[in-house]
């Protein structure tokens, strides 16, 4: 049976994933739109930077974040000077780390979806009197809906499954920064296999259901389009 | 000062890596102007520049009393009262037919002339499709919806970019009558991009020939199709276009008479009322020449004509341009026949028309 500590970790995990996904959709949508439409010759540089978390060990990302966000780092120091507290080992720090680490999982599906629309529907909308912003919200976003679903689910699920970054930047503070993946690690270390089973099994099921939803929906959308 | 709705001035330049577009066109403010030319000559690019979809375009563009482009500064496309129909019907796949039509209507700025949606729906015959989704329509139906959608915004100018090119022959036949009724009903100018001479002959009034981004010739379509210095009047498909009116019907033999400036054609009976305007296409290969009026011939349509110009076609043939009281006609014959009849400009002949197509 799940116990209180695990439920708290679950709550923190879900809060973290939801907040991260929300921020990523808000940041990632304009970024993906720009990447899909821009003809800037150095665009590939931006794409490479965004893709970095895909190849780097999470501990590397976490390490640099810890350096940057800690009290001696530039961002952490600035926050401290402004009367705040450094982000390292806080929930806020987890959010920042997760946003950076899950960025490609949100931007890439969105970029692909926007690129797949092509210019034509937007040109049609323009000749029908729609301004650029109007075209974006009434044509580009609805047509990229499968991309938004994929981006949301991948961003959410990837944040839930994160370990290395969270451990580096958040530490393992129960009730504040301890998420499920770390709780599992703790239980295994303490040889509490039953509790590890409970959490692991639940995460496996949840992830599978999420992916099932995405692939099922996108398959239907593809059918309608062709 | 140009009166409103009078004319179209399209003076546009656009530099691309591969080619330059550089035209200065004066087009009539009513009727269909065809942009005609081979693929890659810049027809579509020019049309896109008129709609404001080519940001690099510069020059001067006036539609009636509105200036859409002056120098490098052009109105953005969503502020040009234009209806644009793309080559492949580009309906919004996330909206049903009704919502596709409403998309433009809802964005018509206040004060612009509106076309009742009901009227465009009737004109294009799509009333029964309003609840459907784009993927449930045939290619022809989609294109009709796209045309209705473009018209519903009350444009001052309608741009059609080869609206039939992506369709098979049956679908073309399905749409052509609708385009013809547009031609009769619309009070706005239409620019029609095409590389199919038969479409141009059916639909266009005015014609601009484009070659490598430049205008090589322009004029009324009947004139352009019979100018021997242009590629249109050469080859197998060459023929004249004759504007006429239905003069009456012969009930006994099921025939229809069509009067034109040079006389009267007799054609197979159709159901058009007297006075209805018709276009006739007379292929050059269906016109033979005699020096005297033939008697005892099965051919009904024989007109006295004058030879205006002769141009060799390949090794064995000649293309002859005739004038039937000012109306141009083409005749394709062998060089041997031309020699035997001693054809030369100014010579009087009889043109025997073996068959006529009512467009």
């Amino acid at each position: 049976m799940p116990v209180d500590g695990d439920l708290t970790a679950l709550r923190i995990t879900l809060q973290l994933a939801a907040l991260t996904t929300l921020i990523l959709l808000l940041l990632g949508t304009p970024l993906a739109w720009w990447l899909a439409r821009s003809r800037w010759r150095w665009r590939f540089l931006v794409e490479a930077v965004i893709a970095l978390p895909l190849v780097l060990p999470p501990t590397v990302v976490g390490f640099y974040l810890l350096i940057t966000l800690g009290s001696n780092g530039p961002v952490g120091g600035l926050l401290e000077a402004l009367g705040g507290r450094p982000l390292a080992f806080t929930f806020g720090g987890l959010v920042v780390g997760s946003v950076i680490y899950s960025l490609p999982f949100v931007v890439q599906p969105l970029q692909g979806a926007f690129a797949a629309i092509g210019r034509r529907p937007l040109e049609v909308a323009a000749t029908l009197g729609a301004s650029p912003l109007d075209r974006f919200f009434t044509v580009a976003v609805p047509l990229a809906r499968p991309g938004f679903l994929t981006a949301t689910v991948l961003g959410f699920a990837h944040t839930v499954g994160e370990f290395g970054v969270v451990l580096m930047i958040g530490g393992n503070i129960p009730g504040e920064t301890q998420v499920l993946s770390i709780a599992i690690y703790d239980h295994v270390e303490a040889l509490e296999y039953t509790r590890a089973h409970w959490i692991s099994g639940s995460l496996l099921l949840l992830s599978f259901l999420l992916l099932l939803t995405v692939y099922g929906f996108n398959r239907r959308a593809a059918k309608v389009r062709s | 000062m140009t009166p409103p709705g009078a004319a179209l001035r399209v003076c546009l330049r656009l530099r691309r890596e591969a080619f330059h577009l550089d035209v200065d066109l004066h087009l009539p403010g009513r009727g269909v102007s065809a942009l005609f030319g081979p693929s890659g000559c810049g027809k579509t690019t020019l049309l896109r520049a008129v709609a404001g979809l080519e940001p690099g375009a510069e020059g001067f563009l006036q539609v009636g009393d509105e200036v859409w482009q002056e120098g490098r500064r052009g109105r953005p496309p969503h502020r040009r009262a234009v209806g644009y129909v793309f080559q492949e019907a580009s309906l919004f796949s996330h909206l049903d037919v009704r919502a596709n039509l409403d998309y433009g209507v809802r964005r018509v700025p206040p004060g612009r002339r509106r076309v009742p949606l009901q009227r465009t729906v009737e004109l294009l015959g799509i009333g029964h499709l309003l609840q459907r989704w784009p993927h449930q329509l045939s290619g022809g139906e989609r294109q009709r919806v796209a045309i209705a959608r473009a018209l519903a915004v009350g444009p001052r100018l309608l741009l059609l970019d080869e609206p039939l090119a992506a369709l098979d022959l049956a679908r073309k036949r399905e749409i052509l009558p609708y385009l013809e009724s547009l031609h009769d009903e619309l009070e706005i100018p239409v620019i029609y991009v095409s590389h199919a001479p038969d479409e141009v002959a059916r639909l266009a009034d005015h014609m601009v020939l484009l070659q490598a981004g430049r205008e090589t010739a322009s004029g009324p379509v009947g004139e352009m199709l019979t100018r021997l210095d242009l590629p249109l009047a050469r080859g197998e498909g060459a023929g004249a276009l004759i504007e006429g009116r239905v003069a009456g019907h012969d009930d006994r033999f099921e025939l229809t008479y069509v009067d034109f400036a040079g006389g009267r054609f007799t054609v197979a009976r159709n159901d058009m009322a007297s006075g209805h305007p018709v276009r006739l296409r007379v292929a050059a290969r269906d016109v033979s020449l005699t020096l005297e009026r033939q008697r005892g011939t099965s051919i009904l349509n024989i007109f006295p004509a004058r030879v205006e110009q002769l141009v060799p076609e390949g090794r064995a043939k000649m293309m002859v341009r005739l004038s039937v009281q000012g109306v141009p006609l083409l005749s394709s014959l062998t060089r041997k026949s031309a020699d035997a009849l001693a054809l030369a400009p100014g010579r009087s002949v009889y043109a025997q028309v073996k068959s006529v197509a009512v467009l």
Side-chain angles (χ1 to χ4, degrees):
Chain A
M1 281 305 287
V3 295
D4 270 1
D6 294 343
L7 288 177
T8 308
L10 173 67
R11 182 180 53 78
I12 292 173
T13 305
L14 292 181
Q15 275 175 354
L16 176 66
L19 193 58
T20 302
T21 309
L22 185 71
I23 293 172
L24 276 175
L25 284 176
L26 290 176
L27 291 178
T29 304
L31 185 59
W33 177 248
W34 175 76
L35 286 172
R37 310 262 305 167
S38 166
R39 289 184 191 160
W40 189 46
R41 57 194 292 227
W42 301 109
R43 191 188 69 183
F44 70 96
L45 283 179
V46 182
E47 288 179 304
V49 169
I50 290 172
L52 269 181
L54 290 175
V55 293
L56 278 179
T59 40
V60 172
V61 179
F63 174 67
Y64 283 119
L65 279 170
L66 186 62
I67 299 284
T68 320
L69 301 180
S71 6
N72 298 326
V75 177
L78 185 71
L79 280 175
E80 225 163 45
L82 292 173
R85 57 189 193 122
L87 281 169
F89 309 117
T90 64
F91 183 74
L94 283 193
V95 173
V96 173
S98 305
V99 163
I100 290 171
Y101 193 53
S102 296
L103 187 65
F105 290 85
V106 171
V107 170
Q108 289 186 348
L110 287 181
Q111 184 184 344
F114 284 140
I117 295 173
R119 294 182 168 267
R120 185 47 49 81
L122 298 155
E123 289 179 346
V124 172
T127 63
L128 291 172
S131 68
L133 205 62
D134 188 359
R135 310 202 270 272
F136 176 75
F137 283 111
T138 58
V139 176
V141 170
L143 286 177
R145 211 168 59 181
F148 274 97
L149 185 68
T150 307
T152 306
V153 169
L154 287 186
F156 189 90
H158 189 249
T159 308
V160 168
E162 197 176 295
F163 181 81
V165 176
V166 169
L167 193 61
M168 294 292 276
I169 184 101
N172 186 4
I173 308 166
E176 185 160 9
T177 61
Q178 191 190 58
V179 294
L180 283 181
S181 58
I182 294 173
I184 295 171
Y185 181 74
D186 274 1
H187 292 322
V188 174
E189 288 251 282
L191 298 176
E192 298 166 335
Y193 275 38
T194 320
R195 291 179 68 184
H197 262 306
W198 263 103
I199 310 178
S200 302
S202 313
L203 275 181
L204 179 67
L205 193 68
L206 177 75
S207 308
F208 186 62
L209 286 178
L210 275 176
L211 291 179
L212 220 54
T213 316
V214 177
Y215 286 109
F217 178 87
N218 283 355
R219 187 170 147 256
R220 230 187 47 220
K223 233 188 215 166
V224 165
R225 201 166 290 185
S226 67
Chain B
M1 190 64 202
T2 335
L8 234 62
R9 172 88 190 281
V10 182
C11 173
L12 290 171
R13 287 177 300 280
L14 181 67
R15 282 171 173 276
R16 281 275 178 80
E17 278 169 46
F19 91 125
H20 285 182
L21 180 70
D22 188 352
V23 295
D24 188 357
L25 310 175
H26 295 259
L27 301 176
R30 247 211 91 154
V32 177
S33 298
L35 291 182
F36 187 86
S39 311
C41 72
K43 307 182 294 274
T44 296
T45 309
L46 176 56
L47 209 63
R48 290 172 56 83
V50 169
L53 296 173
E54 292 290 343
E58 55 174 282
F60 184 78
L61 173 61
Q62 184 168 19
V63 178
D65 55 351
E66 284 185 3
V67 175
W68 287 0
Q69 176 101 35
E70 207 163 5
R72 287 178 172 279
R73 293 188 6 177
R75 279 193 198 189
H78 63 278
R79 298 198 44 238
R80 302 185 185 202
V82 75
Y84 200 119
V85 178
F86 291 86
Q87 190 166 342
E88 74 291 359
S90 12
L91 300 183
F92 297 128
S93 60
H94 63 296
L95 300 175
D96 67 9
V97 168
R98 164 116 240 164
N100 262 283
L101 294 171
D102 283 341
Y103 190 92
V105 174
R106 283 213 317 267
R107 287 165 173 82
V108 173
R112 193 201 286 176
R113 187 178 64 91
R114 277 160 191 271
V115 180
L117 190 56
Q118 193 51 39
R119 190 172 153 231
T120 62
V121 167
E122 274 167 23
L123 201 58
L124 275 305
I126 53 170
H128 61 295
L129 304 174
L130 293 180
Q131 314 301 326
R132 303 250 199 106
W133 289 84
H135 70 269
Q136 298 170 317
L137 305 180
S138 72
E141 288 169 339
R142 270 182 232 167
Q143 203 54 293
R144 271 151 62 195
V145 174
I147 296 170
R149 183 177 65 177
L151 279 177
V153 301
R156 301 176 67 112
L157 171 63
L158 182 63
L159 306 172
L160 302 173
D161 185 5
E162 305 207 36
L164 304 180
L167 303 175
D168 58 38
L169 196 63
R171 299 280 168 239
K172 275 184 194 164
R173 291 222 178 95
E174 170 198 326
I175 292 202
L176 269 166
Y178 293 104
L179 289 178
E180 276 165 352
S181 60
L182 286 185
H183 176 257
D184 298 339
E185 302 246 334
L186 282 189
E187 281 139 32
I188 53 166
V190 179
I191 304 182
Y192 187 101
V193 162
S194 180
H195 67 264
D198 50 327
E199 280 173 29
V200 172
R202 273 183 83 150
L203 297 170
D205 306 299
H206 189 86
M207 188 168 175
V208 176
L209 218 59
L210 283 184
Q211 185 84 47
R214 288 173 182 274
E215 170 193 14
T216 49
S218 69
V221 68
E223 180 65 31
M224 296 283 287
L225 289 173
T226 51
R227 268 176 59 178
L228 296 188
D229 58 329
L230 300 178
L232 293 163
R234 316 300 296 273
E236 273 299 293
L241 187 69
I242 288 160
E243 308 260 6
R245 276 179 191 283
V246 173
H249 302 283
D250 181 327
D251 293 329
R252 189 168 160 222
F253 290 111
E254 293 291 317
L255 295 170
T256 293
Y257 300 115
V258 175
D259 282 351
F260 73 110
R264 167 173 286 192
F265 269 102
T266 307
V267 300
R269 174 152 195 163
N270 57 45
D271 48 13
M272 290 181 210
S274 276
H276 196 282
V278 277
R279 279 187 171 187
L280 304 176
R281 179 100 166 122
V282 180
R285 60 171 182 272
D286 290 333
V287 178
S288 56
L289 302 181
T290 58
L291 291 180
E292 276 119 45
R293 186 183 271 279
Q294 290 284 297
R295 300 191 182 283
T297 168
S298 65
I299 291 174
L300 291 173
N301 296 306
I302 301 179
F303 306 99
R306 206 165 40 77
V307 174
E308 285 194 334
Q309 202 185 353
L310 298 101
V311 174
E313 279 251 295
R315 287 195 189 166
K317 303 203 102 180
M318 296 285 271
M319 185 65 81
V320 185
R321 182 181 149 113
L322 307 160
S323 164
V324 181
Q325 293 179 43
V327 178
L329 209 59
L330 291 182
S331 170
S332 166
L333 32 86
T334 58
R335 210 149 54 79
K336 182 176 178 182
S337 309
D339 194 61
L341 299 183
L343 295 183
R347 185 135 170 92
S348 289
V349 291
Y350 286 89
Q352 305 194 125
V353 179
K354 209 162 33 175
S355 94
V356 186
V358 179
L359 299 182

